[in-house]
Each structure stands twice: as C-alpha cells, then as structure tokens.
Amino acid sequence: QVQLVESGGGLGQAGGSLRLACTASGRTFSSYHMGWFRQAPGKEREFVATIRWNGINTYYVDSVKGRFIISRDNAKNTVYLQMNSLKPEDTAVYYCAADRYYFGTRAGEYDYWGQGTQVTVSS
C-alpha cells in the first residue's frame, strides 16, 4: 500500500509559479513511477506529467511542456511539480499517482492516488 498526500496548491497569478509536492508513505516509493494528473470542473481527468522510478525519464502533455517540471527525491519519498508561466487554463484539482509498471499517461495504469490539491490561476 502507498498513501499519497499532495500539498502546495492555492491561488496563483497568470505568468507566475507554484510548486506542488506529493509525499508518499511506505518504503517502496522508489519502486514506483509517479505521475501528476489534473481535473478541471466539468472535464475529464487529464494526464500532466510522469517521471520514472529512478528520475531519469520524464514525459509531459504538450500543453505544459516547457512550463512545468516534474522531479522526485526518493530519499524524501516526494515527487514535485514545478509549475511556471501559469495560465488560467491550468486551473484544476491536481492529483499525484503511483504506477508500478507502466510509466504511462493513462489514469487506469496508476495504482494509488492522492486526494488532490486545488490550483486556481487568476488572469
């Protein structure tokens, strides 16, 4: 079992930055690929970024490439999402998730989820 807790959400301004963190319980965090997803009101949950268990490989949805950076610190059981050049369309609840096998972009490939943290970007 892996329990995930997100933090760092809140209100940001367009063009500004926010950093999300997701801390995992348990000793097997470093075995999991980690992902960030987001869900805006009335929309489907959307893949944002993922990072391989060893931190070497990352992948992003096109809409955040060049603006968001996913990283992890396995010693701290934490994955981060640095969000720069924020846009109002980044407003959503952001979820982190853990995936043992796929390093994927589909929500169904992830085994464990956090409760989500709200990010609101004002124009």
Side-chain angles (χ1 to χ4, degrees):
Q1 281 280 353
V2 176
Q3 292 185 326
L4 304 173
V5 179
E6 300 98 337
S7 61
L11 180 63
Q13 291 190 333
S17 299
L18 286 172
R19 188 173 83 153
L20 306 182
C22 172
T23 301
S25 64
R27 299 181 179 179
T28 60
F29 173 78
S30 61
S31 300
Y32 287 85
H33 312 309
M34 297 298 297
W36 286 97
F37 288 75
R38 65 186 179 186
Q39 189 166 17
K43 294 189 175 181
E44 298 280 325
R45 190 168 297 191
E46 173 190 35
F47 166 79
V48 176
T50 185
I51 186 166
R52 199 177 286 277
W53 66 271
N54 57 9
I56 291 178
N57 302 105
T58 59
Y59 185 76
Y60 301 88
V61 68
D62 284 348
S63 59
V64 308
K65 282 181 182 176
R67 299 191 298 122
F68 290 10
I69 301 170
I70 188 171
S71 61
R72 67 190 296 161
D73 185 338
N74 285 346
K76 295 182 178 180
N77 280 11
T78 301
V79 61
Y80 304 95
L81 186 68
Q82 178 68 42
M83 304 187 295
N84 302 319
S85 301
L86 287 166
K87 301 177 180 180
E89 51 263 45
D90 295 322
T91 295
V93 177
Y94 282 72
Y95 300 88
C96 71
D99 150 35
R100 189 66 184 265
Y101 299 110
Y102 296 101
F103 183 53
T105 64
R106 293 180 289 185
E109 295 169 333
Y110 287 77
D111 304 302
Y112 302 102
W113 292 83
Q115 83 288 350
T117 186
Q118 177 70 47
V119 170
T120 303
V121 182
S122 63
S123 57

